[in-house]
Each structure stands twice: as C-alpha cells, then as structure tokens.
Amino acid sequence: GNSVTQMEGPVTLSEEAFLTINCTYTATGYPSLFWYVQYPGEGLQLLLKATKADDKGSNKGFEATYRKETTSFHLEKGSVQVSDSAVYFCALSPAPMEYGNKLVFGAGTILRVKS
Amino acid sequence: EAGVTQFPSHSVIEKGQTVTLRCDPISGHDNLYWYRRVMGKEIKFLLHFVKESKQDESGMPNNRFLAERTGGTYSTLKVQPAELEDSGVYFCASSLSDSSNSPLHFGNGTRLTVT
C-alpha cells in the first residue's frame, strides 16, 4: 500500500541553522508529493509540491526534490527563523493525477527554532 | 474570501455520548474532505464529498461515524456512540476540483477528547 515515513521530532534548531526533515514514501506508480505546514493554532497549509521525478518544489525558502530512485522528498531550508516553528507533514497523492486530493500523510515533524 | 471553518474547536465528551462536528467549506468548493489525526500519528483520510454525494468513504473507521453534506454546502460528522479511541483532531478540507493541481484548503480542526 501507500505510506509516508518522516523523521521523528521534535527537531530543535537555533535561528539561521540549516534544516533537513527527511521523508520517504512507498507507493505504486507515480505519486505527487507534498509538504504541508501547520503553524500553532492554525490549519494545514500547502508549503510546496512536486508532481514528477526530479521536480523541485520551493516556497518561502524551503525546497524539496522528488527523488524516485531513493523514494524520498526531504525538506530543506538554508536558514531557519523563529517563525518557521511549526509541524511539518510530508504527504503523497497516489496516481492517477485525476483523483489527487485523497492524500496519504506522514506522522508530522515538530520543528522548534530558538532565537 | 473566508477560509474553511470548523466548529467546535474543542469538544470533551464522555464515552458513549454523541458528538457532531461541523465544517463550512470555502464557498464554491464542491469537494469536501474529512481527515483525522489520532494521538499525534499520521493524518488519515476519512471521506470525500463531491457536492452532496459521498465520492469515497473508504477511510471511515466503522459505522459509529456518520457524515452528511445536505445541500452540498456545509458538512457534519457525527460520532455515536463515542469511544476512547475516537479522540484526536478532525480536519476538514475543501477544494475546487479533486485533482492534485487544485490545492486543499484546511480548517483549523476540531480537537475531540473522549474520556
């Protein structure tokens, strides 16, 4: 079946540190991949996505590259800010593209950034 | 535009009682989804409405859960009778279409605690 595995948190970093949150997936076919972020007291927001192998999604300084050979979609940011403190969810949308919003999520990774 | 709103934000009930959660999607969004996150684990798909019709209810855990979307506008999710394992955060999301190119907009969630 389809599944997403994320690194366990919490991840605690100092401001301006480099961030990596690992995400690997299991899926048949060619899924689309997503990162969602949940800030305190808010709902999930789409952070970035990639729809095919070698695509790079990017937004707000965050990046993730769809790696089919390693079935990974790791989230990176070069310099985190306190405002990036949130829960980050990796997710996939199983193929086909025509029915794309039944997402499979990982367990989420808490990020805490200290000033 | 108003986002997806969910009510209540928190609910604490005793085992055996009934609870009804409500979701108001973004106006004009035909597609409405319910997801659930239990005990800090993965967010899991429950069901999907297209207008007033259930497109996919494969994620509904058992027949204690009943979802409706009369008139194709707001949706309710009733749990009757509630059990301890139903505790978690229930998210509602809506989108214009069910393609993964149509972003999901999430509500802030309802935190349900069954004691």
Side-chain angles (χ1 to χ4, degrees):
Chain A
N2 300 307
S3 67
V4 173
T5 302
Q6 295 181 230
M7 63 188 289
E8 288 192 24
V11 173
T12 303
L13 296 173
S14 297
E15 214 166 14
E16 300 183 3
F18 185 86
L19 168 71
T20 300
I21 300 179
N22 290 339
C23 170
T24 57
Y25 67 90
T26 301
T28 54
Y30 299 92
S32 295
L33 301 174
F34 305 84
W35 278 99
Y36 278 82
V37 58
Q38 185 183 21
Y39 298 104
E42 300 183 11
L44 281 77
Q45 303 172 26
L46 178 64
L47 181 60
L48 53 83
K49 73 175 187 181
T51 57
K52 60 183 187 295
D54 300 325
D55 266 4
K56 178 186 285 188
S58 61
N59 186 24
K60 298 182 181 180
F62 291 88
E63 292 184 340
T65 301
Y66 188 141
R67 300 287 188 201
K68 187 165 175 60
E69 64 276 12
T70 54
T71 61
S72 65
F73 193 54
H74 304 322
L75 182 68
E76 297 182 336
K77 186 174 185 183
S79 175
V80 293
Q81 305 300 312
V82 173
S83 57
D84 293 327
S85 299
V87 184
Y88 292 80
F89 293 91
C90 185
L92 68 81
S93 169
M97 278 277 294
E98 290 74 21
Y99 182 30
N101 277 332
K102 180 181 178 181
L103 301 180
V104 176
F105 284 90
T109 302
I110 297 172
L111 171 65
R112 297 180 180 139
V113 181
K114 302 184 298 184
S115 59
Chain B
E1 74 182 355
V4 176
T5 56
Q6 292 187 243
F7 182 83
S9 56
H10 293 84
S11 180
V12 181
I13 62 172
E14 293 183 353
K15 176 181 172 180
Q17 290 185 321
T18 298
V19 63
T20 300
L21 313 181
R22 173 171 168 144
C23 169
D24 287 73
I26 292 173
S27 177
H29 282 194
D30 288 340
N31 293 270
L32 186 150
Y33 305 79
W34 284 98
Y35 286 84
R36 177 174 77 165
R37 188 182 191 209
V38 173
M39 298 266 309
K41 295 186 178 177
E42 297 87 354
I43 299 172
K44 292 197 173 181
F45 168 84
L46 295 179
L47 86 160
H48 169 209
F49 284 99
V50 178
K51 297 185 180 178
E52 67 274 11
S53 299
K54 291 175 185 174
Q55 177 80 7
D56 182 345
E57 53 184 329
S58 60
M60 295 288 264
N62 51 61
N63 60 10
R64 296 185 293 104
F65 289 75
L66 174 65
E68 294 180 322
R69 193 183 182 195
T70 307
T73 54
Y74 71 91
S75 174
T76 58
L77 179 64
K78 180 190 287 188
V79 185
Q80 179 182 29
E83 298 290 344
L84 297 179
E85 64 264 25
D86 301 332
S87 295
V89 181
Y90 290 76
F91 292 102
C92 175
S94 70
S95 63
L96 274 174
S97 79
D98 65 7
S99 161
S100 63
N101 285 325
S102 181
L104 271 178
H105 298 261
F106 280 84
N108 289 357
T110 293
R111 180 174 296 278
L112 174 64
T113 302
V114 182
T115 63

